[in-house]
Amino acid sequence: MRLPTSLLLFIGALIFSGAGNVRSDASDHRYKDGDSVPLYANKVGPFHNPSETYRYFDLPFCIPEGVKDKKEALGEVLNGDRLVSAPYKLNFREEKDSDVYCRKKLSREEVEQFRRAVEKDYYFQMYYDDLPIWGFIGKVDKESKSDPSEFKYFLYKHIQFEILYNKDRVIEINARMDPHSLVDLTEDKEVDAEFMYTVKWKETETPFEKRMDKYAMSSSLPHHLEIHWFSIINSCVTVLLLTGFLATILMRVLKNDFMKYAQDEEAADDQEETGWKYIHGDVFRFPKHKSLFAASLGSGTQLFTLTIFIFMLSLVGVFYPYNRGALFTALVVIYALTSGIAGYTASSFYCQLEGKNWVRNLLLTGGLFCGPLFLTFCFLNTVAIAYSATAALPFGTIVVIVLIWTLVTSPLLVLGGIAGKNSKAEFQAPVRTTKYPREIPPLPWYRSAIPQMAMAGFLPFSAIYIELYYIFASVWGHRIYTIYSILFIVFIILLIVTAFITVALTYFQLAAEDHEWWWRSFLCGGSTGLFIYAYCLYYYYARSDMSGFMQTSFFFGYMACICYGFFLMLGTVGFRAALLFVRHIYRSIKCE
């Protein structure tokens, strides 16, 4: 147990030191009256398109003198954060009333740019002492008019800050736009704008340690918790029904099978065998495309390990709200450090399957998940560059990721592969495999791969689909998700249901004298990933207001990679469960 614990501590230290280092700027600082408190403008973008964000000063706001970019860590850059010093001066306990920080004559082009932004519901995001601030940059006055050409567009020019403090520390900040102080953007003409801000300070008893609870509690409100618990109860009922089905039907059938085969052995040796015992000489015949199969198991095992580590870090509180980029840093670091697991699993299993070209298998393992992810990233990064969005990674960040892959991921993959090859483990088959395979009898259409995958994926998906909405609303929206304990329970339920349904379908496949269960069990286990991607289509068109080529391509592109990862991970879980089951039943009977 010491090794995983030390590895977890190491990863946690890496994330805290590199994932935006949220607390390093000011959160540990105490302030005196009049001290400068860091205020950074982060990004602007359409409210309904979370991936389509731009630098704050891409809009023609007043640019103050000496604007400085904040130095950002890897996770922040991957998250699309581009922090720069903001135009407002919010010194500690210094109140201001309608202070003018800029007078500007907006040209026709700037008016048009602001109007397009207001039309798309642009919001801004800032960080004050690492506390997030949001607000809309303007509003559309529709006044019951149905014709868009008659709408009026206004830009907010007065922002009112209300800051709560406890002794010498900032506890909370709220920003409100003055609805009466507006710049009319309706017509294409030059406009004089006077941008102002007001600052009010109030004392609070809330301790500094609890200042983030406001954001964490938003996903723990009673009505939200009721839905989450309903989701878990729904999932548990699914599991109980499934396990009940397996315990009563499957175990009874197996018991009858064992008794029947025992009687057959006592009665007549020359009696023809039927059912799953009939194919005992073929059931452990190695699958086709064994290199791809072993690589899939290796990648799936690595992604499963990655998911477990992410849950462990989330449950100990690493991913608190607005710890900028912590999750992205964790994903990159843990994926790099666990590549040895993929190499070891794939190489050792490939050698158990009597594969000879282990080097090619290792290359396939390394590229099986990373390859599609890299191609997707190249396309989407090109789109982001074309849009000049903050989602476009700078060249330096791409170099860092390539170096991590070259200096950490690849060497660990090779070391794991060498260790797996040298493990000299033999495949444990309780029965001998015959020289020539038996012919599989004709089967009805519903016993083919695709209908079986549809059946196998539906039950696990039905156990998680309620929770999926909240995850999507957090990843592809502006909700905050912090109930990691409930999510972990749902994940465990997902694994159990996937394993059980794959075992059940494997039994029925073997009972029909179809011995090609290796790939089938993997495909049935992983089919939940296809259902999740189908849910993406439903979420995009029915539950979200996302639009535009960039947001659409980001949503479907990265969700394809995530669902592919789920496919590999759950496919591995399904196959491992089926392998344990098949070994158990064939070990329990006497086969000639």
Side-chain angles (χ1 to χ4, degrees):
M1 188 66 193
R2 189 177 297 170
L3 180 61
T5 307
S6 60
L7 183 58
L8 185 67
L9 291 170
F10 171 66
I11 293 164
L14 270 172
I15 291 160
F16 273 122
S17 65
N21 208 6
V22 174
R23 298 185 181 275
S24 62
D25 288 328
S27 301
D28 291 329
H29 294 178
R30 299 174 183 273
Y31 301 104
K32 296 176 183 175
D33 290 1
D35 279 358
S36 175
V37 183
L39 173 65
Y40 292 105
N42 187 12
K43 51 194 177 185
V44 293
F47 183 75
H48 299 296
N49 290 355
S51 301
E52 187 184 341
T53 54
Y54 305 93
R55 290 176 178 270
Y56 183 79
F57 290 115
D58 283 352
L59 288 178
F61 290 113
C62 296
I63 301 177
E65 292 181 10
V67 172
K68 291 181 180 177
D69 287 349
K70 180 181 177 296
K71 189 178 179 183
E72 291 164 330
L74 175 64
E76 288 179 291
V77 178
L78 293 174
N79 196 38
D81 292 332
R82 303 290 186 271
L83 276 71
V84 295
S85 47
Y88 311 105
K89 301 297 178 189
L90 275 58
N91 294 339
F92 192 71
R93 289 186 61 185
E94 245 183 44
E95 296 205 344
K96 296 186 179 181
D97 188 17
S98 302
D99 261 29
V100 177
Y101 75 87
C102 165
R103 291 182 176 88
K104 183 174 183 179
K105 192 177 193 72
L106 298 176
S107 66
R108 290 181 61 179
E109 291 77 16
E110 289 173 335
V111 167
E112 187 183 355
Q113 191 177 352
F114 269 127
R115 185 171 64 244
R116 282 201 305 270
V118 171
E119 188 179 6
K120 292 180 181 178
D121 284 331
Y122 266 51
Y123 72 100
F124 67 83
Q125 186 188 47
M126 297 184 184
Y127 284 94
Y128 181 68
D129 196 43
D130 287 315
L131 293 169
I133 314 166
W134 310 270
F136 287 99
I137 67 164
K139 69 172 184 177
V140 182
D141 187 3
K142 299 182 180 179
E143 288 184 356
S144 305
K145 293 170 183 171
S146 57
D147 186 2
S149 62
E150 296 178 1
F151 294 167
K152 291 188 175 180
Y153 301 91
F154 297 99
L155 177 71
Y156 293 124
K157 62 177 183 177
H158 187 185
I159 183 169
Q160 299 168 331
F161 295 102
E162 183 184 78
I163 307 171
L164 276 62
Y165 69 97
N166 185 348
K167 296 177 183 174
D168 53 0
R169 287 186 157 179
V170 176
I171 303 300
E172 188 179 327
I173 181 166
N174 297 299
R176 192 173 68 84
M177 314 309 290
D178 186 350
H180 306 295
S181 185
L182 304 166
V183 178
D184 193 342
L185 304 170
T186 308
E187 297 177 17
D188 281 333
K189 63 179 184 180
E190 292 185 348
V191 176
D192 288 318
E194 192 176 58
F195 294 98
M196 299 175 288
Y197 67 110
T198 297
V199 186
K200 300 290 183 189
W201 288 82
K202 289 183 180 178
E203 195 163 6
T204 180
E205 296 298 318
T206 305
F208 175 78
E209 292 73 22
K210 293 189 176 181
R211 69 177 195 159
M212 282 292 178
D213 288 2
K214 167 189 172 182
Y215 308 103
M217 290 301 289
S218 64
S219 61
S220 306
L221 295 172
H223 63 281
H224 284 314
L225 275 178
E226 283 176 14
I227 297 170
H228 286 296
W229 282 113
F230 172 74
S231 167
I232 284 188
I233 291 166
N234 168 65
S235 304
C236 286
V237 168
T238 305
V239 171
L240 286 172
L241 286 173
L242 186 63
T243 49
F245 165 77
L246 284 173
T248 55
I249 307 296
L250 195 58
M251 299 313 287
R252 186 180 296 171
V253 168
L254 274 173
K255 187 179 177 183
N256 291 340
D257 285 349
F258 290 145
M259 290 172 62
K260 176 173 171 285
Y261 292 147
Q263 290 169 1
D264 289 348
E265 285 166 11
E266 292 170 8
D269 290 335
D270 60 344
Q271 189 172 344
E272 188 179 351
E273 295 173 341
T274 57
W276 53 267
K277 187 184 177 185
Y278 174 67
I279 55 169
H280 64 81
D282 296 278
V283 76
F284 291 106
R285 191 177 303 283
F286 298 146
K288 298 172 183 175
H289 314 295
K290 60 180 74 172
S291 183
L292 178 61
F293 190 77
S296 300
L297 286 181
S299 296
T301 306
Q302 180 187 6
L303 292 169
F304 178 74
T305 311
L306 168 69
T307 308
I308 294 298
F309 270 116
I310 291 292
F311 271 118
M312 290 169 77
L313 290 172
S314 64
L315 291 170
V316 298
V318 172
F319 306 127
Y320 56 87
Y322 301 103
N323 184 358
R324 293 190 301 273
L327 180 59
F328 285 104
T329 305
L331 288 169
V332 171
V333 171
I334 299 172
Y335 186 82
L337 293 175
T338 54
S339 59
I341 294 171
Y344 178 84
T345 306
S347 189
S348 63
F349 199 79
Y350 180 66
C351 291
Q352 285 180 40
L353 299 181
E354 298 175 2
K356 304 299 180 189
N357 197 341
W358 70 276
V359 175
R360 190 182 69 177
N361 172 251
L362 210 55
L363 291 172
L364 185 59
T365 307
L368 195 64
F369 182 72
C370 281
L373 181 64
F374 176 73
L375 292 174
T376 305
F377 162 75
C378 288
F379 171 71
L380 295 179
N381 205 56
T382 305
V383 172
I385 290 169
Y387 273 73
S388 301
T390 60
L393 294 190
F395 179 72
T397 305
I398 295 172
V399 169
V400 168
I401 292 173
V402 170
L403 285 174
I404 290 172
W405 191 83
T406 308
L407 301 177
V408 180
T409 308
S410 299
L412 285 176
L413 181 75
V414 172
L415 288 173
I418 293 169
K421 174 182 171 290
N422 294 332
S423 63
K424 304 293 184 186
E426 291 186 3
F427 187 78
Q428 300 298 316
V431 290
R432 288 197 306 272
T433 301
T434 56
K435 190 172 182 181
Y436 300 105
R438 290 181 188 268
E439 187 178 347
I440 298 171
L443 298 171
W445 65 269
Y446 57 83
R447 286 193 181 275
S448 59
I450 292 175
Q452 295 282 294
M453 286 172 68
M455 281 189 275
F458 178 73
L459 265 175
F461 175 77
S462 67
I464 63 166
Y465 82 98
I466 295 175
E467 206 64 27
L468 269 183
Y469 169 74
Y470 288 95
I471 298 165
F472 273 60
S474 173
V475 176
W476 300 104
H478 301 280
R479 283 179 183 262
I480 300 165
Y481 195 99
T482 55
I483 318 175
Y484 299 114
S485 53
I486 287 180
L487 187 60
F488 185 62
I489 294 169
V490 171
F491 177 70
I492 296 299
I493 291 169
L494 172 66
L495 297 180
I496 293 169
V497 179
T498 300
F500 280 166
I501 195 69
T502 308
V503 165
L505 290 173
T506 301
Y507 170 77
F508 293 126
Q509 183 183 355
L510 296 177
E513 300 177 8
D514 180 357
H515 54 78
E516 294 181 347
W517 62 275
W518 299 68
W519 272 110
R520 181 74 63 84
S521 63
F522 188 92
L523 294 172
C524 286
S527 59
T528 306
L530 303 178
F531 275 82
I532 296 173
Y533 199 67
Y535 180 82
C536 293
L537 291 166
Y538 164 75
Y539 182 84
Y540 181 85
Y541 289 108
R543 304 301 294 269
S544 80
D545 294 310
M546 290 185 271
S547 61
F549 178 72
M550 178 180 167
Q551 182 60 45
T552 304
S553 58
F554 263 68
F555 178 75
F556 286 109
Y558 281 127
M559 281 313 301
C561 292
I562 291 168
C563 293
Y564 175 52
F566 263 92
F567 177 81
L568 292 172
M569 178 179 73
L570 295 176
T572 301
V573 170
F575 169 73
R576 291 292 184 186
L579 181 61
L580 283 172
F581 169 75
V582 173
R583 277 179 174 156
H584 171 73
I585 62 171
Y586 281 96
R587 198 177 284 124
S588 303
I589 61 167
K590 181 183 174 185
C591 296
E592 295 300 329

